[in-house]
Amino acid sequence: MTKVTGFRPIFIKTDVKRYPGIEETVLPLVKEAPLAKPVIFSSFNLASLLVAQSIDPGFEYCYLTDRNLKDPDAFCQREFTHTTI
């Protein structure tokens, strides 16, 4: 796995309560913001990350989980179309 350094983490908090359209609202705002570091979006909600990725595959996405994934690399390759591992 690639060690990620120098990213500004942004957490999409949709694991307990769903906020319809949050990805469509947040991604353009972040893209327009003059940030010093690249952004990585993180969430415990895989569906939210997949929606975000479909809107803008140019960002990095990180799925957070407490599940024991047998093969995290294969999981990411299967779930994400644009993956850096």
Side-chain angles (χ1 to χ4, degrees):
M1 282 195 193
T2 302
K3 184 177 179 182
V4 178
T5 60
F7 279 87
R8 179 169 308 284
I10 296 180
F11 298 96
I12 303 174
K13 301 245 179 182
T14 55
D15 54 313
V16 176
K17 182 175 179 177
R18 183 77 182 114
Y19 300 95
I22 191 170
E23 301 87 0
E24 291 88 350
T25 301
V26 171
L27 269 70
L29 293 173
V30 171
K31 193 166 195 159
E32 294 174 15
L35 301 174
K37 295 181 180 180
V39 169
I40 186 166
F41 288 98
S42 300
S43 181
F44 285 98
N45 186 329
L46 180 60
S48 189
L49 291 175
L50 293 173
V51 167
Q53 184 192 40
S54 73
I55 294 168
D56 193 332
F59 284 114
E60 296 290 329
Y61 298 95
C62 178
Y63 175 51
L64 306 173
T65 184
D66 59 358
R67 293 174 31 204
N68 185 7
L69 298 175
K70 185 176 179 180
D71 187 348
D73 291 341
F75 175 85
C76 289
Q77 290 295 338
R78 183 176 65 249
E79 295 296 334
F80 293 100
T81 58
H82 170 76
T83 307
T84 303
I85 297 180

